[in-house]
Amino acid sequence: MSTARTTAILNIAAAKNTDSDPCDGSQKKYGNLSELFGRNVFTLDAMRERLPRDIYRQLEPTVLKGERLPASIADAVADAMKDWAIDHGATHYTHWFQPMNGFTAEKHDAFMTPTPNGQVINEFSGKMLICGEPDASSFPSGGIRSTFEARGYTAWDPTTPAFVIEGPKGNTLYIPTIFYSYTGEALDRKTPLLRSITAVSKQALRILRLFGNTSATSVEPKVGAEQEYFLVDKRLAALRPDLLLTGRTLFGAKPAKGQEMEDHYFGAIPERVLAFMQAVEHRLYTLGIPARTRHNETAPAQYELAPVFEGANIATDHNMLTMDILRRVAEKHGFLCILHEKPFASVNGSGKHNNWSLCDSDGNNLFNPGDTPRTNAQFLVFLAAVLRAVHLYGVSLRLGTIGAGNDHRLGAQEAPPAIISVYLGEQLTQVLEGIIQGEDKEHESPRKSIEIGVSCLPPLPLDTSDRNRTSPFAFTGNKFEFRAVGASHSIASVNMTLNAAVACALDDIATELEKQVAAGTPINEATRDLLASLFKEHMPVVFNGNGYTKEWEEEAARRGLPNLKNTVTALECYSDPAVMNTFMRHGILSEREILARQEILLNGYVQSINIEASLTSSMGRSTLLPPALRCQTEAGKAARLAKTLVPDEGSLPEERHFLRIRTHVLGLMQALDALDEARALLKNPGDIFQRARIARDTVLPAMAECRLHADALENLVDNDAWPLPKYAELLWLH
Ligand code: ADP
Ligand code: MG
């Protein structure tokens, strides 16, 4: 018997022989990378070329520092942008924004305007550039906007560049914007990110000034987001409604071979995948996105793309574009690109390591220890600020990593635990302990060397960090790597929370130091005393050991570190006054915006579990039960026949086979009934917190029970009759 599944498998196998060879020289290569890179970006250089000099001079502070755009030059800037875009094939423009649904949004308008004499001209005014009013009533607002006054506005964000996206019959100019309500509240993820960048810059500058730095004019968070993803052949994915609709497999037995041989990680990249990666990079380069690293990840069919780090605002846009381009190009190459945090049980899920640092406007990374961190007081102050931020505002940071998908991953022995601690490495921890104990003597340079036992190589400097992959927040030499972020997440939220928390800590420290200095204490002395007490206070957040162990969970509890194991528990804390204060203190979010966000995120959680549960129910009943019942009938017949042939033999293997199938068929039917009852509870009107708890505590376990029986049936039912592509095929066949 042939099923759609077997046909797909055979087609994939056959295509392997007939696909054109991507490396046979017939394909176009990248060409000149420096010409390609940023080709579709309206860069500062492009602005300088196209604008009269005095207008460019007035515009520059807006682009570089986010200063207010002088109204008098708006039309000229719009005109230059339009001409540039038309020269790059654009017929349309769009205000591009990042609403709270976690995706990007766009509505295209043509430049074309009809004239009275029946012709058209291209038109684009300063007003059209600066402000838009999409009919945006369907975006989540958490009650900030009711539908009858559905006005939401978009406003140009000149601090991240406009760009052109190529389309089949013409191109479109994308203008990055923020999205806010009639009453001025943020309805997107970008507005609070921008506010947080301003806040952390202001507080960091206070510290720099205390250390005598008079030249830096701003401090910018820098971000490099490593993006993990899975690729599955489209012919198989098309037969998995769960992958298509929810981004993860709701059913699927553990395959005989998963990742245990560790033969995929950093393995040779399959040619078909390489062709895909290069096509992705080509598009990224035209948009000025500096994709640098590509490799196979831990799980079979899992890959990673990492860019060179950029300013947090641009890095956020670039990551959104990267995720979009990965999905689109995958389609063209016959793949489904999966960004979900846990698409497959039994192998690793996907995260997004968010590398973060602070850099001043003179180009100095403030987390660079220099040669002697012991004496590098400024570095230690910034380090203390991060420890304080993570220790005091760990709950806020955890909120940057929530999501129904990430709940399957955090704390599951493959990703960091939900406890947010900091990894510093042995060496730096020793330095901190020395400071706490008031050791005054100068250390020898702490950059110890390690002999690696190969005589032809010089001793290698010991990295100030090693590679403890179990820590959610690791200091890796001159940056922090926040590893708890989910692969599908917008990095706007995590960086907003990080900036907000660090701004609070820097504010506390600067206030104390300024007070001491004003009272006549020399800055070095004031710093030494303050550092000793700060490191002492915040040492409990430092943990260099294995974060996957039960002992750490217990130890963390003794240290008073929160362990918010899932999205609902974390969101319940969003409205705690101390947590709200992290965001409100520097005006990053208002109370109303926070409460709206809490509601939006809880709603999103309930919706996504509801969709998964509804699909589990329908797939269970209409896709999996029918072949299982047929199999049960066949097995029953075989058992009866055996019994008539050998009536005296006691328990027969045919009977045991039948009973095994029957157990799981019954189990699945009962579990599906229980799931439907649980789903009905979700529909009860009521408090969103209560519904979220039902989703977590009743619906998810009911889904797991269905899966348990269905996965057992997958290994019992006639292989040819099983309708869903199996894990071995999804993970290994491409
Ligand atoms: P890995 O952690 O996988 O070993 P790398 O250390 O090479 O990888 O870097 C990972 C990411 O960190 C890259 O995107 C890189 O650009 C980024 N990165 C490097 N330095 C900084 C920095 N100072 N601030 C922010 N991100 C950085
Ligand atoms: Mg990394």
Side-chain angles (χ1 to χ4, degrees):
M1 166 170 152
S2 162
T3 59
R5 171 175 149 242
T6 359
T7 313
I9 295 170
L10 293 176
N11 283 343
I12 295 168
K16 289 230 177 259
N17 313 331
T18 53
D19 277 355
S20 63
D21 180 354
C23 305
D24 65 0
S26 63
Q27 308 262 331
K28 233 171 74 205
K29 305 274 176 191
Y30 279 148
N32 185 344
L33 207 64
S34 58
E35 270 171 31
L36 185 66
F37 194 82
R39 188 180 70 190
N40 290 346
V41 184
F42 191 50
T43 56
L44 262 185
D45 283 348
M47 292 179 199
R48 195 181 298 118
E49 252 168 48
R50 285 172 183 270
L51 283 167
R53 195 176 310 165
D54 65 312
I55 294 190
Y56 174 78
R57 219 177 295 127
Q58 291 180 68
L59 175 66
E60 204 183 55
T62 305
V63 175
L64 292 179
K65 299 185 200 143
E67 285 176 17
R68 196 177 290 273
L69 179 81
S72 57
I73 66 167
D75 280 331
V77 174
D79 216 40
M81 195 188 279
K82 179 201 71 189
D83 288 347
W84 172 86
I86 289 172
D87 286 351
H88 285 74
T91 54
H92 288 64
Y93 73 94
T94 179
H95 275 200
W96 183 66
F97 57 104
Q98 302 181 18
M100 285 302 295
N101 62 12
F103 297 96
T104 57
E106 54 193 73
K107 182 186 96 186
H108 299 193
D109 281 303
F111 289 124
M112 168 213 70
T113 309
T115 58
N117 58 1
Q119 311 224 294
V120 290
I121 52 160
N122 286 318
E123 208 180 46
F124 188 58
S125 66
K127 191 173 171 298
M128 289 150 101
L129 164 66
I130 291 169
C131 187
E133 191 195 332
D135 173 21
S137 50
S138 300
F139 292 112
S141 77
I144 282 183
R145 248 176 7 166
S146 38
T147 12
F148 64 88
E149 49 171 36
R151 278 195 225 172
Y153 297 91
T154 51
W156 179 35
D157 168 14
T159 60
T160 178
F163 51 91
V164 156
I165 296 267
E166 297 178 21
K169 289 220 187 288
N171 302 340
T172 306
L173 168 67
Y174 280 65
I175 301 161
T177 57
I178 56 166
F179 181 46
Y180 58 97
S181 74
Y182 183 61
T183 42
E185 270 121 353
L187 293 171
D188 67 350
R189 294 180 188 258
K190 282 297 284 291
T191 307
L193 175 70
L194 294 179
R195 292 173 183 157
S196 78
I197 292 171
T198 308
V200 79
S201 171
K202 186 170 164 203
Q203 300 308 324
L205 274 180
R206 286 171 68 193
I207 304 282
L208 293 188
R209 297 285 181 261
L210 278 162
F211 283 95
N213 180 330
T214 50
S215 62
T217 51
S218 64
V219 169
E220 189 181 32
K222 299 284 184 188
V223 171
E226 305 166 48
Q227 180 69 51
E228 294 182 344
Y229 59 93
F230 279 85
L231 288 179
V232 167
D233 193 285
K234 209 161 70 173
R235 285 162 285 198
L236 294 170
L239 299 171
R240 298 278 326 207
D242 47 356
L243 272 182
L244 298 179
L245 262 57
T246 71
R248 74 176 179 111
T249 53
L250 298 169
F251 299 101
K254 188 174 183 326
K257 183 179 172 191
Q259 67 192 40
E260 49 281 269
M261 301 292 284
E262 295 175 348
D263 50 357
H264 187 69
Y265 189 58
F266 281 14
I269 299 172
E271 244 171 47
R272 185 176 163 205
V273 174
L274 186 61
F276 156 80
M277 288 174 163
Q278 290 177 332
V280 167
E281 286 159 7
H282 186 99
R283 288 202 191 194
L284 294 177
Y285 292 157
T286 63
L287 293 171
I289 301 175
R292 173 175 270 171
T293 310
R294 48 165 119 107
H295 63 81
N296 290 5
E297 254 301 330
T298 309
Q302 192 185 29
Y303 303 93
E304 180 178 303
L305 180 157
V308 177
F309 66 93
E310 304 174 278
N313 185 20
I314 296 182
T316 299
D317 285 2
H318 282 178
N319 184 250
M320 293 310 280
L321 286 169
T322 300
M323 291 196 284
D324 188 48
I325 286 169
L326 281 169
R327 289 196 201 96
R328 283 172 195 260
V329 176
E331 281 274 323
K332 297 213 176 298
H333 285 244
F335 289 120
L336 176 73
C337 174
I338 305 171
L339 295 170
H340 192 281
E341 285 76 23
K342 192 70 180 175
F344 303 100
S346 82
V347 297
N348 273 16
S350 299
K352 180 143 57 191
H353 291 178
N354 187 83
N355 294 272
W356 176 94
S357 67
L358 290 173
C359 190
D360 72 19
S361 51
D362 294 327
N364 302 306
N365 178 349
L366 304 180
F367 294 112
N368 227 333
D371 287 334
T372 56
R374 174 73 185 192
T375 53
N376 190 340
Q378 183 184 296
F379 159 72
L380 289 169
V381 165
F382 279 98
L383 181 68
V386 173
L387 292 185
R388 183 173 176 80
V390 182
H391 194 203
L392 297 188
Y393 312 111
V395 173
S396 310
L397 291 181
R398 175 72 177 88
L399 282 163
T401 68
I402 53 164
N406 218 18
D407 280 359
H408 297 288
R409 195 178 143 259
L410 289 190
Q413 301 287 316
E414 59 167 70
I419 309 159
I420 308 287
S421 64
V422 184
Y423 173 89
L424 286 183
E426 193 191 327
Q427 207 183 331
L428 202 50
T429 309
Q430 272 171 17
V431 173
L432 265 48
E433 274 159 358
I435 294 171
I436 294 172
Q437 279 147 26
E439 281 173 20
D440 250 354
K441 67 177 184 331
E442 286 291 317
H443 268 246
E444 74 283 17
S445 166
R447 290 218 164 171
K448 280 189 254 159
S449 300
I450 39 169
E451 292 285 352
I452 55 167
V454 180
S455 57
C456 63
L457 288 175
L460 299 174
L462 175 65
D463 199 350
T464 31
S465 68
D466 71 11
R467 291 294 188 202
N468 180 340
R469 292 291 172 180
T470 69
S471 175
F473 200 88
F475 182 65
T476 50
N478 59 6
K479 63 184 185 327
F480 288 89
E481 188 168 341
F482 197 2
R483 302 193 179 117
V485 186
S488 70
H489 293 173
S490 154
I491 55 170
S493 300
V494 66
N495 288 299
M496 181 270 283
T497 50
L498 207 45
N499 297 339
V502 172
C504 288
L506 286 170
D507 185 359
D508 294 342
I509 295 174
T511 303
E512 181 59 30
L513 287 179
E514 282 162 1
K515 200 168 82 190
Q516 299 279 336
V517 169
T521 318
I523 178 74
N524 284 347
E525 221 170 278
T527 307
R528 191 192 57 209
D529 294 348
L530 183 63
L531 282 177
S533 80
L534 283 172
F535 287 142
K536 185 153 186 248
E537 182 183 354
H538 301 303
M539 206 44 127
V541 83
V542 175
F543 178 63
N544 296 327
N546 181 354
Y548 290 171
T549 62
K550 189 84 203 133
E551 288 79 49
W552 167 234
E553 230 185 288
E554 290 158 10
E555 168 65 18
R558 277 193 294 277
R559 295 189 190 183
L561 300 181
N563 184 3
L564 305 171
K565 290 195 179 187
N566 53 66
T567 297
V568 183
T569 314
L571 277 174
E572 281 168 343
C573 302
Y574 209 160
S575 41
D576 287 355
V579 174
M580 291 214 284
N581 196 38
T582 328
F583 303 108
M584 288 165 60
R585 181 159 152 197
H586 297 108
I588 293 165
L589 286 170
S590 69
E591 182 173 348
R592 184 144 181 249
E593 287 169 335
I594 291 173
L595 296 178
R597 257 146 235 263
Q598 186 184 41
E599 190 184 317
I600 291 169
L601 294 165
L602 282 165
N603 254 317
Y605 177 84
V606 172
Q607 301 289 13
S608 70
I609 307 267
N610 191 33
I611 291 169
E612 289 186 353
S614 147
L615 193 56
T616 300
S617 171
S618 67
M619 284 175 75
R621 288 189 197 284
S622 66
T623 309
L624 303 183
L625 265 184
L629 282 169
R630 280 195 293 275
C631 173
Q632 178 181 277
T633 310
E634 288 300 313
K637 275 189 213 153
R640 265 199 308 281
L641 181 64
K643 198 73 195 164
T644 50
L645 293 175
V646 281
D648 304 328
E649 215 155 282
S651 158
L652 293 170
E654 287 88 342
E655 288 177 311
R656 291 201 296 278
H657 180 60
F658 166 75
L659 284 176
R660 228 174 271 136
I661 295 171
R662 186 171 150 72
T663 305
H664 291 298
V665 166
L666 268 183
L668 178 56
M669 292 202 282
Q670 281 162 359
L672 285 167
D673 286 347
L675 176 62
D676 288 344
E677 276 170 35
R679 286 201 304 132
L681 295 177
L682 274 190
K683 299 212 164 49
N684 285 347
D687 181 344
I688 185 66
F689 283 103
Q690 202 186 339
R691 290 168 61 218
R693 278 182 226 117
I694 292 172
R696 178 193 61 188
D697 301 333
T698 314
V699 179
L700 277 176
M703 282 165 59
E705 185 67 13
C706 296
R707 179 172 187 156
L708 186 87
H709 295 292
D711 290 359
L713 286 168
E714 184 184 315
N715 286 325
L716 290 167
V717 169
D718 176 4
N719 183 46
D720 280 345
W722 193 254
L724 296 179
K726 298 186 171 184
Y727 268 27
E729 296 146 12
L730 294 167
L731 292 171
W732 292 105
L733 203 60
H734 64 266

PDB file of all heavy atoms in Angstrom, residues 403-427:
ATOM      1  N   GLY A 403       7.894  32.319  26.503  1.00  0.00           N
ATOM      2  CA  GLY A 403       7.158  31.887  25.319  1.00  0.00           C
ATOM      3  C   GLY A 403       6.799  30.425  25.468  1.00  0.00           C
ATOM      4  O   GLY A 403       7.559  29.660  26.065  1.00  0.00           O
ATOM      5  N   ALA A 404       5.637  30.058  24.918  1.00  0.00           N
ATOM      6  CA  ALA A 404       5.187  28.667  25.054  1.00  0.00           C
ATOM      7  C   ALA A 404       6.222  27.710  24.475  1.00  0.00           C
ATOM      8  O   ALA A 404       6.456  26.624  25.009  1.00  0.00           O
ATOM      9  CB  ALA A 404       3.848  28.488  24.355  1.00  0.00           C
ATOM     10  N   GLY A 405       6.866  28.104  23.381  1.00  0.00           N
ATOM     11  CA  GLY A 405       7.848  27.220  22.743  1.00  0.00           C
ATOM     12  C   GLY A 405       9.082  27.048  23.604  1.00  0.00           C
ATOM     13  O   GLY A 405       9.594  25.936  23.783  1.00  0.00           O
ATOM     14  N   ASN A 406       9.573  28.153  24.161  1.00  0.00           N
ATOM     15  CA  ASN A 406      10.808  28.103  24.954  1.00  0.00           C
ATOM     16  C   ASN A 406      10.607  27.312  26.252  1.00  0.00           C
ATOM     17  O   ASN A 406      11.577  26.820  26.834  1.00  0.00           O
ATOM     18  CB  ASN A 406      11.289  29.526  25.257  1.00  0.00           C
ATOM     19  CG  ASN A 406      12.802  29.653  25.204  1.00  0.00           C
ATOM     20  OD1 ASN A 406      13.487  28.797  24.631  1.00  0.00           O
ATOM     21  ND2 ASN A 406      13.337  30.693  25.804  1.00  0.00           N
ATOM     22  N   ASP A 407       9.366  27.192  26.717  1.00  0.00           N
ATOM     23  CA  ASP A 407       9.095  26.413  27.930  1.00  0.00           C
ATOM     24  C   ASP A 407       9.516  24.955  27.775  1.00  0.00           C
ATOM     25  O   ASP A 407       9.826  24.283  28.743  1.00  0.00           O
ATOM     26  CB  ASP A 407       7.592  26.447  28.270  1.00  0.00           C
ATOM     27  CG  ASP A 407       7.199  27.749  28.966  1.00  0.00           C
ATOM     28  OD1 ASP A 407       8.091  28.592  29.181  1.00  0.00           O
ATOM     29  OD2 ASP A 407       6.008  27.909  29.286  1.00  0.00           O
ATOM     30  N   HIS A 408       9.508  24.451  26.532  1.00  0.00           N
ATOM     31  CA  HIS A 408       9.911  23.057  26.316  1.00  0.00           C
ATOM     32  C   HIS A 408      11.421  22.895  26.386  1.00  0.00           C
ATOM     33  O   HIS A 408      11.931  21.786  26.413  1.00  0.00           O
ATOM     34  CB  HIS A 408       9.465  22.578  24.927  1.00  0.00           C
ATOM     35  CG  HIS A 408       7.990  22.572  24.743  1.00  0.00           C
ATOM     36  ND1 HIS A 408       7.164  21.661  25.343  1.00  0.00           N
ATOM     37  CD2 HIS A 408       7.179  23.391  24.031  1.00  0.00           C
ATOM     38  CE1 HIS A 408       5.911  21.905  24.995  1.00  0.00           C
ATOM     39  NE2 HIS A 408       5.896  22.960  24.214  1.00  0.00           N
ATOM     40  N   ARG A 409      12.115  24.015  26.361  1.00  0.00           N
ATOM     41  CA  ARG A 409      13.548  23.946  26.178  1.00  0.00           C
ATOM     42  C   ARG A 409      14.315  24.322  27.449  1.00  0.00           C
ATOM     43  O   ARG A 409      15.198  23.593  27.882  1.00  0.00           O
ATOM     44  CB  ARG A 409      13.887  24.941  25.065  1.00  0.00           C
ATOM     45  CG  ARG A 409      15.227  24.786  24.487  1.00  0.00           C
ATOM     46  CD  ARG A 409      15.394  25.798  23.363  1.00  0.00           C
ATOM     47  NE  ARG A 409      16.753  26.266  23.406  1.00  0.00           N
ATOM     48  CZ  ARG A 409      17.131  27.420  23.923  1.00  0.00           C
ATOM     49  NH1 ARG A 409      16.257  28.261  24.414  1.00  0.00           N
ATOM     50  NH2 ARG A 409      18.406  27.741  23.942  1.00  0.00           N
ATOM     51  N   LEU A 410      13.941  25.454  28.058  1.00  0.00           N
ATOM     52  CA  LEU A 410      14.683  25.919  29.233  1.00  0.00           C
ATOM     53  C   LEU A 410      14.601  24.879  30.343  1.00  0.00           C
ATOM     54  O   LEU A 410      13.531  24.380  30.659  1.00  0.00           O
ATOM     55  CB  LEU A 410      14.126  27.249  29.736  1.00  0.00           C
ATOM     56  CG  LEU A 410      14.391  28.467  28.865  1.00  0.00           C
ATOM     57  CD1 LEU A 410      13.991  29.724  29.604  1.00  0.00           C
ATOM     58  CD2 LEU A 410      15.830  28.539  28.428  1.00  0.00           C
ATOM     59  N   GLY A 411      15.732  24.578  30.909  1.00  0.00           N
ATOM     60  CA  GLY A 411      15.750  23.641  32.023  1.00  0.00           C
ATOM     61  C   GLY A 411      15.602  22.199  31.597  1.00  0.00           C
ATOM     62  O   GLY A 411      15.338  21.334  32.416  1.00  0.00           O
ATOM     63  N   ALA A 412      15.769  21.925  30.307  1.00  0.00           N
ATOM     64  CA  ALA A 412      15.561  20.544  29.845  1.00  0.00           C
ATOM     65  C   ALA A 412      16.873  19.851  29.472  1.00  0.00           C
ATOM     66  O   ALA A 412      16.912  19.079  28.536  1.00  0.00           O
ATOM     67  CB  ALA A 412      14.602  20.534  28.674  1.00  0.00           C
ATOM     68  N   GLN A 413      17.933  20.148  30.177  1.00  0.00           N
ATOM     69  CA  GLN A 413      19.216  19.472  29.978  1.00  0.00           C
ATOM     70  C   GLN A 413      19.811  19.709  28.596  1.00  0.00           C
ATOM     71  O   GLN A 413      20.604  18.924  28.110  1.00  0.00           O
ATOM     72  CB  GLN A 413      19.081  17.950  30.187  1.00  0.00           C
ATOM     73  CG  GLN A 413      18.596  17.548  31.545  1.00  0.00           C
ATOM     74  CD  GLN A 413      19.649  17.743  32.629  1.00  0.00           C
ATOM     75  OE1 GLN A 413      20.817  17.398  32.440  1.00  0.00           O
ATOM     76  NE2 GLN A 413      19.270  18.310  33.732  1.00  0.00           N
ATOM     77  N   GLU A 414      19.403  20.731  27.928  1.00  0.00           N
ATOM     78  CA  GLU A 414      19.966  21.008  26.604  1.00  0.00           C
ATOM     79  C   GLU A 414      20.137  22.509  26.479  1.00  0.00           C
ATOM     80  O   GLU A 414      20.900  22.990  25.687  1.00  0.00           O
ATOM     81  CB  GLU A 414      19.015  20.531  25.512  1.00  0.00           C
ATOM     82  CG  GLU A 414      17.649  21.216  25.639  1.00  0.00           C
ATOM     83  CD  GLU A 414      16.790  21.032  24.419  1.00  0.00           C
ATOM     84  OE1 GLU A 414      16.346  19.906  24.220  1.00  0.00           O
ATOM     85  OE2 GLU A 414      16.583  22.019  23.681  1.00  0.00           O
ATOM     86  N   ALA A 415      19.389  23.209  27.281  1.00  0.00           N
ATOM     87  CA  ALA A 415      19.433  24.663  27.269  1.00  0.00           C
ATOM     88  C   ALA A 415      19.644  25.059  28.715  1.00  0.00           C
ATOM     89  O   ALA A 415      19.455  24.257  29.617  1.00  0.00           O
ATOM     90  CB  ALA A 415      18.107  25.194  26.779  1.00  0.00           C
ATOM     91  N   PRO A 416      20.035  26.306  28.959  1.00  0.00           N
ATOM     92  CA  PRO A 416      20.249  26.712  30.339  1.00  0.00           C
ATOM     93  C   PRO A 416      18.994  26.551  31.185  1.00  0.00           C
ATOM     94  O   PRO A 416      17.887  26.498  30.647  1.00  0.00           O
ATOM     95  CB  PRO A 416      20.630  28.174  30.215  1.00  0.00           C
ATOM     96  CG  PRO A 416      20.438  28.568  28.827  1.00  0.00           C
ATOM     97  CD  PRO A 416      20.287  27.364  27.999  1.00  0.00           C
ATOM     98  N   PRO A 417      19.157  26.472  32.499  1.00  0.00           N
ATOM     99  CA  PRO A 417      17.983  26.398  33.368  1.00  0.00           C
ATOM    100  C   PRO A 417      17.241  27.730  33.370  1.00  0.00           C
ATOM    101  O   PRO A 417      17.748  28.730  32.873  1.00  0.00           O
ATOM    102  CB  PRO A 417      18.581  26.114  34.742  1.00  0.00           C
ATOM    103  CG  PRO A 417      19.970  26.602  34.682  1.00  0.00           C
ATOM    104  CD  PRO A 417      20.414  26.517  33.255  1.00  0.00           C
ATOM    105  N   ALA A 418      16.052  27.716  33.949  1.00  0.00           N
ATOM    106  CA  ALA A 418      15.282  28.958  34.023  1.00  0.00           C
ATOM    107  C   ALA A 418      15.828  29.888  35.111  1.00  0.00           C
ATOM    108  O   ALA A 418      15.408  31.034  35.230  1.00  0.00           O
ATOM    109  CB  ALA A 418      13.811  28.633  34.272  1.00  0.00           C
ATOM    110  N   ILE A 419      16.765  29.374  35.908  1.00  0.00           N
ATOM    111  CA  ILE A 419      17.401  30.208  36.940  1.00  0.00           C
ATOM    112  C   ILE A 419      18.450  31.081  36.255  1.00  0.00           C
ATOM    113  O   ILE A 419      19.338  30.567  35.583  1.00  0.00           O
ATOM    114  CB  ILE A 419      18.128  29.321  37.981  1.00  0.00           C
ATOM    115  CG1 ILE A 419      17.204  28.242  38.510  1.00  0.00           C
ATOM    116  CG2 ILE A 419      18.749  30.164  39.078  1.00  0.00           C
ATOM    117  CD1 ILE A 419      17.946  27.058  39.120  1.00  0.00           C
ATOM    118  N   ILE A 420      18.312  32.394  36.434  1.00  0.00           N
ATOM    119  CA  ILE A 420      19.252  33.274  35.732  1.00  0.00           C
ATOM    120  C   ILE A 420      20.437  33.577  36.664  1.00  0.00           C
ATOM    121  O   ILE A 420      20.318  34.338  37.615  1.00  0.00           O
ATOM    122  CB  ILE A 420      18.560  34.580  35.281  1.00  0.00           C
ATOM    123  CG1 ILE A 420      17.270  34.280  34.499  1.00  0.00           C
ATOM    124  CG2 ILE A 420      19.508  35.429  34.465  1.00  0.00           C
ATOM    125  CD1 ILE A 420      17.429  33.748  33.108  1.00  0.00           C
ATOM    126  N   SER A 421      21.582  32.952  36.346  1.00  0.00           N
ATOM    127  CA  SER A 421      22.813  33.216  37.091  1.00  0.00           C
ATOM    128  C   SER A 421      23.881  33.656  36.089  1.00  0.00           C
ATOM    129  O   SER A 421      23.672  33.578  34.888  1.00  0.00           O
ATOM    130  CB  SER A 421      23.277  31.956  37.821  1.00  0.00           C
ATOM    131  OG  SER A 421      23.603  30.962  36.869  1.00  0.00           O
ATOM    132  N   VAL A 422      25.031  34.113  36.620  1.00  0.00           N
ATOM    133  CA  VAL A 422      26.094  34.589  35.736  1.00  0.00           C
ATOM    134  C   VAL A 422      27.305  33.672  35.833  1.00  0.00           C
ATOM    135  O   VAL A 422      27.748  33.329  36.930  1.00  0.00           O
ATOM    136  CB  VAL A 422      26.539  36.023  36.125  1.00  0.00           C
ATOM    137  CG1 VAL A 422      27.579  36.544  35.141  1.00  0.00           C
ATOM    138  CG2 VAL A 422      25.357  36.964  36.171  1.00  0.00           C
ATOM    139  N   TYR A 423      27.845  33.323  34.696  1.00  0.00           N
ATOM    140  CA  TYR A 423      29.098  32.575  34.656  1.00  0.00           C
ATOM    141  C   TYR A 423      30.236  33.574  34.422  1.00  0.00           C
ATOM    142  O   TYR A 423      30.189  34.367  33.479  1.00  0.00           O
ATOM    143  CB  TYR A 423      29.050  31.570  33.495  1.00  0.00           C
ATOM    144  CG  TYR A 423      30.364  30.887  33.271  1.00  0.00           C
ATOM    145  CD1 TYR A 423      30.684  29.718  33.945  1.00  0.00           C
ATOM    146  CD2 TYR A 423      31.300  31.422  32.389  1.00  0.00           C
ATOM    147  CE1 TYR A 423      31.911  29.102  33.759  1.00  0.00           C
ATOM    148  CE2 TYR A 423      32.528  30.816  32.198  1.00  0.00           C
ATOM    149  CZ  TYR A 423      32.822  29.653  32.886  1.00  0.00           C
ATOM    150  OH  TYR A 423      34.028  29.046  32.702  1.00  0.00           O
ATOM    151  N   LEU A 424      31.240  33.535  35.301  1.00  0.00           N
ATOM    152  CA  LEU A 424      32.362  34.466  35.118  1.00  0.00           C
ATOM    153  C   LEU A 424      33.667  33.742  34.807  1.00  0.00           C
ATOM    154  O   LEU A 424      34.612  34.348  34.327  1.00  0.00           O
ATOM    155  CB  LEU A 424      32.578  35.296  36.395  1.00  0.00           C
ATOM    156  CG  LEU A 424      31.576  36.396  36.695  1.00  0.00           C
ATOM    157  CD1 LEU A 424      32.002  37.149  37.939  1.00  0.00           C
ATOM    158  CD2 LEU A 424      31.427  37.351  35.522  1.00  0.00           C
ATOM    159  N   GLY A 425      33.724  32.469  35.097  1.00  0.00           N
ATOM    160  CA  GLY A 425      34.989  31.754  34.949  1.00  0.00           C
ATOM    161  C   GLY A 425      35.791  31.881  36.234  1.00  0.00           C
ATOM    162  O   GLY A 425      35.626  32.837  37.007  1.00  0.00           O
ATOM    163  N   GLU A 426      36.656  30.908  36.418  1.00  0.00           N
ATOM    164  CA  GLU A 426      37.389  30.776  37.674  1.00  0.00           C
ATOM    165  C   GLU A 426      38.277  31.987  37.955  1.00  0.00           C
ATOM    166  O   GLU A 426      38.296  32.538  39.051  1.00  0.00           O
ATOM    167  CB  GLU A 426      38.254  29.516  37.542  1.00  0.00           C
ATOM    168  CG  GLU A 426      38.861  28.994  38.814  1.00  0.00           C
ATOM    169  CD  GLU A 426      39.896  27.935  38.429  1.00  0.00           C
ATOM    170  OE1 GLU A 426      39.688  27.245  37.420  1.00  0.00           O
ATOM    171  OE2 GLU A 426      40.911  27.846  39.133  1.00  0.00           O
ATOM    172  N   GLN A 427      38.956  32.417  36.882  1.00  0.00           N
ATOM    173  CA  GLN A 427      39.955  33.465  37.057  1.00  0.00           C
ATOM    174  C   GLN A 427      39.352  34.797  37.509  1.00  0.00           C
ATOM    175  O   GLN A 427      39.808  35.412  38.467  1.00  0.00           O
ATOM    176  CB  GLN A 427      40.590  33.647  35.694  1.00  0.00           C
ATOM    177  CG  GLN A 427      41.965  34.138  35.734  1.00  0.00           C
ATOM    178  CD  GLN A 427      42.413  34.325  34.301  1.00  0.00           C
ATOM    179  OE1 GLN A 427      41.956  33.641  33.395  1.00  0.00           O
ATOM    180  NE2 GLN A 427      43.299  35.268  34.118  1.00  0.00           N
TER     181      GLN A 427
END
